[in-house]
Amino acid sequence: MSSSYLPATTESIALALEAKDPSEAISILYRVLDDPSSSPEALRMKEQAITNLSDLLRQENRGEDLCSLLTQLRPFFSLIPKAKTAKIVRVVIDSVAKIPGTSDLQIALCKEMVQWTRAEKRTFLRQRVEARLAALLMESKEYSEALSLLSGLVKEVRRLDDKLLLVDIDLLESKLHFSLRNLPKSKAALTAARTAANAIYVPPGQQGAIDLQSGILHAEEKDYKTAYSYFFEAFESFNALEDPKAVFSLKYMLLCKIMVNQADDVGGIISSKAGLQYVGPDLDAMKAVADAHSKRSLKLFEVALRDYKAQLEEDPIVHRHLSSLYDTLMEQNLCRLIEPFSRVEISHIAELIELPIDHVERKLSQMILDKKFAGTLDQGAGCLVIFDDPKTDAIYPATLETISNVGKVVDSLYVRSAKIMA
């Protein structure tokens, strides 16, 4: 213990608040924590000092100091109830999470805290820190490690019947399987999360997260109308809490409108009272895509993808659906352009659609193989030859139908003759 400690009193906390320099306030709060007194009042003041110190260290982006603070506080944790210890640990870990670029530091901190909680037999806290660690590993794309951690944790929590934590873990497992493109397991985990959530009161933020994941899974199955309703529910939950996730829910709502050919509704949603609060690059990106879709312009679509790369291509959910939309839009445009021709140069089509020749040629060959139209590519002449759609001869289906009807008449006559003979 430092000899220059300050007594853990309201005066010492006030002294830290009045400090002009953050580093001076941090120094005062550290000295308050060095107070050897363990009276109830002193412990309460130290808790306040820890909260203030965490905020200051976060504002100063001192992630390493926040990690060492948890190590320094371990003797103090033995003096206070386990529930308060869990709260302080979560506050400090949350503070580290708010500092940008600290993913590796958070993972190291969580692993260290898991070891300490195992040694101290603090099961309640360990389970929550492990759930947080699994979420961090998933964000870092360490899927196998996150999955092995979750599989053991799920069994343990189910045995204890901790419904609130079980909802978190099942939801996290659903996200993890979705990242691994295992949709059946992702849906099963989400169903388990909903079942657990139905048995207890779920905070609005957690309910919003469940609805958001439900919307993502429905959108993956091309059920965009149901997905839209889930995204809307998630948006309302996050919007009431002023949670930053609200903008993602709104963005996915707009995506669903575009995917069901209702791009004209996008402008109305953005200019609504709720939408105006979140105007920014994400909504501008969706507006640009909606405009390109309304005008059926591939050039505008590509401009939107280039100008809003971070919002569109780097968001895996939006990127997957827009890739499908881009392909559909390109096919529709190509079919419309080649319709008047029986033979046309590929360079001419590329000029009309304002795309590179190799890109157009590759897409046309794919469409021919998929039987979107009948034709062939004459690569020597650089031309596309379009065949007339072969007309099916109606005589064959008519003959088959006649034979079938004759068969029925013969069967009927056979039954009648059998009755007469009897």
Side-chain angles (χ1 to χ4, degrees):
M1 291 287 176
S2 172
S3 58
S4 60
Y5 69 83
L6 284 173
T9 59
T10 49
E11 287 79 12
S12 300
I13 301 293
L15 188 66
L17 291 172
E18 289 166 7
K20 293 175 183 176
D21 185 13
S23 53
E24 186 187 340
I26 290 167
S27 174
I28 292 168
L29 291 169
Y30 269 122
R31 289 167 64 194
V32 170
L33 294 179
D34 285 340
D35 183 0
S37 172
S38 57
S39 67
E41 181 62 23
L43 292 177
R44 195 168 62 81
M45 286 298 108
K46 283 184 183 179
E47 285 172 36
Q48 182 62 47
I50 291 164
T51 305
N52 293 357
L53 183 57
S54 299
D55 286 341
L56 284 167
L57 289 172
R58 175 181 58 77
Q59 289 165 17
E60 294 292 300
N61 290 340
R62 288 166 63 173
E64 294 284 353
D65 289 345
L66 278 165
C67 293
S68 58
L69 175 64
L70 274 181
T71 309
Q72 183 186 329
L73 290 172
R74 285 177 189 177
F76 173 69
F77 290 151
S78 61
L79 303 173
I80 61 173
K82 288 185 176 180
K84 284 190 176 179
T85 300
K87 183 185 173 185
I88 289 170
V89 168
R90 285 204 298 272
V91 164
V92 175
I93 291 174
D94 286 343
S95 297
V96 177
K98 288 173 185 173
I99 300 172
T102 56
S103 296
D104 293 339
L105 187 63
Q106 289 176 66
I107 290 170
L109 175 61
C110 286
K111 285 180 176 175
E112 187 185 328
M113 288 310 298
V114 166
Q115 288 176 352
W116 177 73
T117 50
R118 280 189 195 282
E120 293 287 317
K121 294 185 170 59
R122 294 175 183 255
T123 308
F124 178 85
L125 178 58
R126 176 181 57 77
Q127 289 168 347
R128 276 149 183 78
V129 176
E130 280 185 340
R132 183 65 170 268
L133 176 59
L136 289 166
L137 289 169
M138 186 182 77
E139 286 172 17
S140 302
K141 299 188 178 177
E142 300 283 344
Y143 298 129
S144 55
E145 192 178 347
L147 202 55
S148 62
L149 181 63
L150 273 183
S151 57
L153 190 57
V154 165
K155 290 174 189 171
E156 192 180 339
V157 174
R158 283 214 175 102
R159 199 165 55 245
L160 294 171
D161 203 32
D162 185 344
K163 288 275 196 293
L164 196 59
L165 181 57
L166 194 58
V167 172
D168 271 339
I169 293 169
D170 283 333
L171 184 59
L172 186 58
E173 191 179 5
S174 175
K175 290 176 182 176
L176 187 55
H177 284 304
F178 179 77
S179 301
L180 292 167
R181 311 298 303 140
N182 190 337
L183 293 184
K185 283 193 174 181
S186 181
K187 286 168 71 179
L190 184 63
T191 305
R194 281 194 172 282
T195 306
N198 287 338
I200 54 165
Y201 167 74
V202 177
Q206 203 170 27
Q207 186 60 54
I210 291 171
D211 289 332
L212 185 63
Q213 182 66 9
S214 299
I216 289 168
L217 288 177
H218 277 283
E220 194 65 26
E221 294 177 330
K222 312 291 184 194
D223 184 1
Y224 294 111
K225 287 188 177 178
T226 309
Y228 179 86
S229 63
Y230 276 119
F231 288 138
F232 182 73
E233 291 290 336
F235 173 70
E236 286 203 319
S237 299
F238 292 137
N239 186 39
L241 297 170
E242 297 183 356
D243 190 309
K245 289 179 189 170
V247 73
F248 292 106
S249 304
L250 185 56
K251 182 178 173 183
Y252 299 151
M253 280 166 61
L254 300 178
L255 175 67
C256 289
K257 283 291 183 187
I258 294 167
M259 295 305 290
V260 293
N261 295 323
Q262 293 178 3
D264 296 338
D265 294 350
V266 168
I269 295 170
I270 292 173
S271 58
S272 66
K273 185 180 176 183
L276 288 171
Q277 298 175 46
Y278 300 98
V279 169
D282 285 291
L283 298 195
D284 290 344
M286 298 315 292
K287 182 78 168 64
V289 171
D291 288 343
H293 184 268
S294 297
K295 293 172 184 173
R296 301 206 171 279
S297 167
L298 281 171
K299 189 176 182 183
L300 288 176
F301 203 109
E302 291 203 328
V303 168
L305 289 175
R306 188 178 64 247
D307 291 350
Y308 298 100
K309 189 176 179 181
Q311 289 76 25
L312 299 175
E313 292 200 358
E314 290 175 17
D315 184 328
I317 293 156
V318 173
H319 178 60
R320 194 174 300 117
H321 293 292
L322 288 186
S323 298
S324 162
L325 183 68
Y326 180 80
D327 283 346
T328 307
L329 198 59
M330 189 173 183
E331 285 176 8
Q332 288 173 352
N333 273 266
L334 285 172
C335 285
R336 181 170 53 81
L337 288 173
I338 65 174
E339 195 175 359
F341 302 103
S342 59
R343 183 182 177 90
V344 60
E345 288 185 354
I346 297 169
S347 58
H348 181 61
I349 299 171
E351 191 180 323
L352 289 173
I353 205 167
E354 297 178 316
L355 287 174
I357 295 174
D358 60 332
H359 193 168
V360 172
E361 188 176 341
R362 192 163 56 247
K363 188 64 189 174
L364 286 169
S365 64
Q366 185 186 333
M367 288 170 71
I368 292 167
L369 290 171
D370 291 342
K371 297 186 178 175
K372 296 288 170 72
F373 68 89
T376 186
L377 287 171
D378 183 348
Q379 288 183 310
C383 289
L384 170 70
V385 181
I386 301 108
F387 306 139
D388 291 332
D389 289 332
K391 291 179 182 177
T392 54
D393 199 334
I395 194 166
Y396 297 113
T399 306
L400 287 170
E401 191 179 349
T402 305
I403 292 167
S404 174
N405 289 335
V406 169
K408 287 175 185 176
V409 170
V410 171
D411 289 342
S412 175
L413 288 171
Y414 175 76
V415 171
R416 286 188 181 187
S417 63
K419 284 179 182 177
I420 292 165
M421 294 294 288

